[in-house]
Amino acid sequence: MSWQTYVDDHLMCEIENGHHLSSAAILGLDGSVWAQSSAFPTFKPEEITAIMKDFDEPGSLAPTGLHLGGAKYMVIQGEPGAVVRGKKGTGGVTVKKTGQALIFGIYDEPVTPGQCNMVVERKGLEEEEFELLEGDIQKSVINGTSSIEFSDRIHQILIQDMENNMVLKLLGPNIGYSVLHNKIYSLWKPSSPFQLMDIENGYFLAKFQKQNGL
């Protein structure tokens, strides 16, 4: 899969009722453009440098705001070292850092912040693509019905993205992102840092680094 295909088919995909992100891009950690949608803003190198600094020094963007293509976004709750989020009027921006690139998503109404987060932050770039090998797929006919079975190797590839994730549903008053994040640390005492994503309507997605992270 090419970088441009990832932008076109994954980042700029239809989210709901024909809506999609306003623009998206993939940049190398050096600020070079790997791929972008046609409407992605022309940015200044110093804007990317400032964003990269916030990943290394979380909170450094808060006093000045996140600038991209001349637009200023108010920095809102992100995930230190992993995700930076900004808000501007009815829209905003989400920037995810992977091991090799920065993934940008810019949105405006009717797309919601949670929808943008889901599109930008879902896994994809950091995982190497895999090829189907001989023996990975077994076709057969059972009682007149065609059957396809995948090898254990393919099963492992398919489940590895979700095996350390947990969907949380808040029951009762909405306590907000920061309070929930702190409560998870105090109650479950995870052994390593984890990512928490607000996916709206009282649901949160917790992503732990280890399967036995709790």
Side-chain angles (χ1 to χ4, degrees):
M1 179 190 302
S2 70
W3 302 124
Q4 192 60 53
T5 299
Y6 190 90
V7 170
D8 296 338
D9 295 350
H10 293 266
L11 298 181
M12 296 301 295
C13 66
E14 181 178 324
I15 300 172
E16 187 176 286
N17 298 325
H19 304 306
H20 51 75
L21 299 182
S22 303
S23 62
I26 302 172
L27 274 61
L29 299 182
D30 60 355
S32 59
V33 177
W34 290 5
Q36 61 183 11
S37 64
S38 58
F40 192 75
T42 301
F43 57 85
K44 299 177 180 178
E46 54 266 31
E47 294 175 336
I48 306 303
T49 299
I51 293 172
M52 283 295 299
K53 182 180 178 181
D54 193 82
F55 286 115
D56 296 330
E57 302 174 19
S60 64
L61 277 179
T64 60
L66 187 160
H67 293 260
L68 186 65
K72 180 180 179 180
Y73 298 84
M74 179 181 67
V75 178
I76 58 178
Q77 182 68 55
E79 296 170 15
V83 179
V84 175
R85 304 186 184 106
K87 193 81 169 66
K88 182 178 185 294
T90 59
V93 60
T94 299
V95 187
K96 176 184 177 181
K97 181 184 179 185
T98 73
Q100 54 184 329
L102 298 178
I103 307 175
F104 286 78
I106 299 176
Y107 69 93
D108 206 342
E109 287 187 338
V111 175
T112 67
Q115 289 173 328
C116 180
N117 294 341
M118 285 291 289
V119 170
V120 174
E121 297 174 34
R122 62 187 173 190
K123 220 168 194 178
L125 282 184
E126 63 268 46
E127 294 296 328
E128 295 182 1
E129 295 182 47
F130 66 91
E131 295 182 0
L132 293 175
L133 305 177
E134 184 176 354
D136 280 339
I137 299 179
Q138 298 291 334
K139 299 179 181 180
S140 61
V141 177
I142 301 176
N143 297 327
T145 302
S146 297
S147 173
I148 299 177
E149 294 185 4
F150 294 101
S151 67
D152 290 341
R153 187 182 78 91
I154 297 301
H155 277 290
Q156 286 300 115
I157 292 174
L158 294 175
I159 69 172
Q160 66 184 358
D161 184 34
M162 296 300 296
E163 63 182 359
N164 298 335
N165 293 358
M166 180 183 296
V167 176
L168 307 175
K169 169 64 176 175
L170 291 181
L171 301 177
N174 183 5
I175 62 175
Y177 177 97
S178 298
V179 176
L180 177 60
H181 194 276
N182 292 336
K183 279 187 173 294
I184 291 175
Y185 264 116
S186 63
L187 293 174
W188 293 348
K189 297 178 174 59
S191 59
S192 58
F194 67 95
Q195 298 177 11
L196 185 65
M197 183 191 307
D198 184 352
I199 52 180
E200 301 188 336
N201 298 319
Y203 286 92
F204 290 80
L205 178 66
K207 182 175 180 181
F208 299 91
Q209 295 183 11
K210 303 175 182 178
Q211 193 168 13
N212 60 347
L214 294 180

